[in-house]
Amino acid sequence: LPVLDAGMKNYAEVTAKVIGKDNQNATGAGAAGGLGFAFLNYLDGELTPGIQLILNAVHIEDEMKDADVVVTGEGRLDHQTAMGKAPVGVACLAKKHNIPVTAFAGSVTKEAIACNQNGIDAFFPILRNIVTLQEAMDHDNAEKNMIATVEQVFRTIKTFS
């Protein structure tokens, strides 16, 4: 790893000298094995976070402006979710309009608490008992678990509204 890091640093320094741009610390420059760096330097590219690109393409912000609550989720909420994955991207847009955000996931790690600091007000795992990964990912089981969990969460919301 140290040899690889030293080689990449050298590559970035040589690129900066030859091209006259120093993008080695640009956000996204190291993504996908350095493709962001190559696009910035050699193709005059512009880096846009993938989630932002998709959310803009589907005009989700327009759809949520008048919502009472935004629901999002993914298979597993963890520390990576808080680093800009889809649920946090959706939550950031909702927060622009002061809309509460609830997330559902197949599983939730301890580190998912970082999602609360990034716009997700509350999150819930949908698994209702101990199962194998195969059982958890079975479409029918996942659908039943999702419906049951979402129903209970919204019963709670209704109780306090």
Side-chain angles (χ1 to χ4, degrees):
L1 189 58
V3 172
L4 181 59
D5 282 343
M8 292 306 290
K9 183 169 178 47
N10 183 58
Y11 168 65
E13 289 170 359
V14 169
T15 297
K17 286 178 189 171
V18 171
I19 294 182
K21 294 191 247 182
D22 186 1
N23 288 309
Q24 63 182 314
N25 294 317
T27 302
L35 278 177
F37 178 83
F39 290 148
L40 282 171
N41 287 290
Y42 298 108
L43 301 175
D44 250 351
E46 182 179 316
L47 300 182
T48 302
I51 184 58
Q52 197 60 49
L53 188 67
I54 298 302
L55 295 177
N56 289 344
V58 299
H59 307 286
I60 195 165
E61 187 172 3
D62 293 334
E63 298 293 330
M64 72 170 60
K65 283 182 182 174
D66 297 320
D68 294 323
V69 64
V70 168
V71 177
T72 187
E74 66 180 342
R76 175 178 153 150
L77 287 175
D78 56 24
H79 71 284
Q80 290 184 348
T81 307
M83 296 169 60
K85 290 176 82 178
V88 167
V90 168
C92 288
L93 287 178
K95 291 306 168 192
K96 286 174 56 178
H97 302 283
N98 297 313
I99 304 169
V101 178
T102 300
F104 296 94
S107 69
V108 174
T109 69
K110 288 186 288 186
E111 294 82 12
I113 195 79
C115 295
N116 295 133
Q117 299 155 354
N118 287 280
I120 295 175
D121 296 298
F123 54 80
F124 302 89
I126 67 165
L127 291 178
R128 300 174 61 80
N129 53 20
I130 297 171
V131 296
T132 66
L133 179 60
Q134 183 177 359
E135 291 169 325
M137 294 184 70
D138 175 78
H139 182 271
D140 291 337
N141 287 341
E143 183 176 21
K144 288 174 189 170
N145 286 334
M146 179 67 82
I147 289 168
T149 304
V150 170
E151 179 183 353
Q152 293 307 309
V153 168
F154 278 89
R155 283 177 174 272
T156 302
I157 291 171
K158 185 177 177 186
T159 301
F160 293 107
S161 296

